[in-house]
């Protein structure tokens, strides 16, 4: 082997060793990290604020948002009694570390409609506005207004299939729209 190749291999080995030894150390046991991983996310949560690793994280059906917050490594402590909603629509969490130091303050907001659509999280048919409906492919202002009027007239939808009662929406359109819409709370009247 030439000296250049040997030198290059030594540099690569040294860089690999350095990266392995100084990689991300989150301080969370592997058991907690393993439980935080889910094959199919039930929803997503965006975490920002006073954390080392902000981002958008998948949340499994059996996991809590607090697990995702811990994985982002907040710069301050979290209360053990922290209770965060696990919404089927996902959400945004902002971690704020108080001055003087103490437990983190957690602000919770729902995901924006654009974020939900990009992540393939269906919008709640009983809460969506006409402007939000217009962001769905194939729904224009007239159809969006018909859907809203039908919802107001009938006190909300109990399933997406009830869209076929709206003028201009047939079974094929309902099947296409069911990718973008869901009914989360059938008991709430609008």
């Amino acid at each position: 082997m030439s000296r250049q190749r040997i030198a290059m291999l030594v540099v690569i080995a040294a860089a690999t060793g350095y990266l392995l030894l100084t990689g991300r150390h989150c301080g969370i046991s592997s058991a907690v990290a393993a439980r935080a991983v889910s094959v199919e996310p039930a929803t997503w949560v965006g975490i920002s604020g006073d954390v080392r690793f902000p981002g958008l994280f998948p949340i499994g059906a059996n996991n809590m948002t607090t697990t995702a917050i811990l994985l982002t490594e907040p710069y301050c402590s979290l209360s053990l009694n922290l209770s965060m909603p696990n919404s089927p629509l996902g959400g945004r969490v902002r971690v704020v570390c108080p001055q003087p130091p103490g437990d983190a303050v957690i602000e919770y907001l729902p995901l924006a409609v654009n974020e939900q659509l990009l992540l393939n999280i269906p919008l709640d048919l009983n809460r969506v506005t006409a402007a939000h409906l217009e962001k769905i492919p194939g729904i224009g202002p007239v159809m969006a207004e018909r859907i809203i009027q039908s919802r107001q007239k009938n006190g909300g939808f109990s399933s997406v299939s009830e869209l076929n009662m709206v003028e201009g929406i047939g079974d094929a359109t309902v099947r296409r729209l069911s990718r973008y819409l869901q009914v989360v709370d059938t008991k709430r009247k609008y």
Side-chain angles (χ1 to χ4, degrees):
M1 261 192 196
S2 72
R3 288 184 183 205
Q4 288 179 333
R5 284 189 176 168
I6 292 173
M8 188 180 299
L9 288 174
V10 169
V11 168
I12 290 172
T16 302
Y18 174 78
L19 290 174
L20 288 174
L21 293 174
T22 62
R24 178 177 172 193
H25 300 286
C26 64
I28 298 173
S29 73
S30 59
V32 172
R35 284 194 307 265
V37 176
S38 173
V39 174
E40 186 95 10
T43 191
W44 294 81
V45 63
I47 302 175
S48 63
D50 295 330
V51 296
R52 186 171 179 192
F53 302 104
L56 198 56
F57 299 89
I59 302 294
N62 59 346
N63 292 316
M64 299 300 293
T65 304
T66 52
T67 304
I69 294 172
L70 288 172
L71 291 173
T72 64
E73 293 188 30
Y75 292 125
C76 54
S77 63
L78 292 177
S79 169
L80 295 177
N81 297 324
L82 181 65
S83 175
M84 292 299 304
N86 259 3
S87 167
L89 302 177
R92 284 224 163 264
V93 172
R94 180 164 169 74
V95 177
V96 179
C97 292
Q99 294 299 329
D103 284 345
V105 175
I106 306 297
E107 299 170 350
Y108 178 80
L109 297 168
L111 283 176
V113 169
N114 292 344
E115 291 172 316
Q116 287 181 336
L117 291 173
L118 286 172
L119 294 170
N120 291 322
I121 300 172
L123 304 177
D124 185 354
L125 185 56
N126 285 327
R127 292 191 177 127
V128 72
T129 67
H132 296 155
L133 285 169
E134 290 178 39
K135 294 180 183 208
I136 296 174
I139 296 183
V142 173
M143 186 60 64
E145 195 54 43
R146 285 182 190 160
I147 292 170
I148 298 299
Q149 287 175 359
S150 177
R151 180 177 73 195
Q152 290 171 346
K153 177 182 174 188
N154 297 311
F157 294 96
S158 61
S159 71
V160 175
S161 63
E162 290 181 1
L163 280 173
N164 65 7
M165 296 186 305
V166 176
E167 181 186 342
I169 297 181
D171 291 336
T173 304
V174 169
R175 280 192 300 278
R176 185 177 51 77
L177 293 178
S178 65
R179 174 180 173 203
Y180 303 102
L181 298 167
Q182 67 179 332
V183 175
V184 175
D185 186 358
T186 60
K187 296 175 184 166
R188 186 171 175 179
K189 299 296 179 187
Y190 298 86

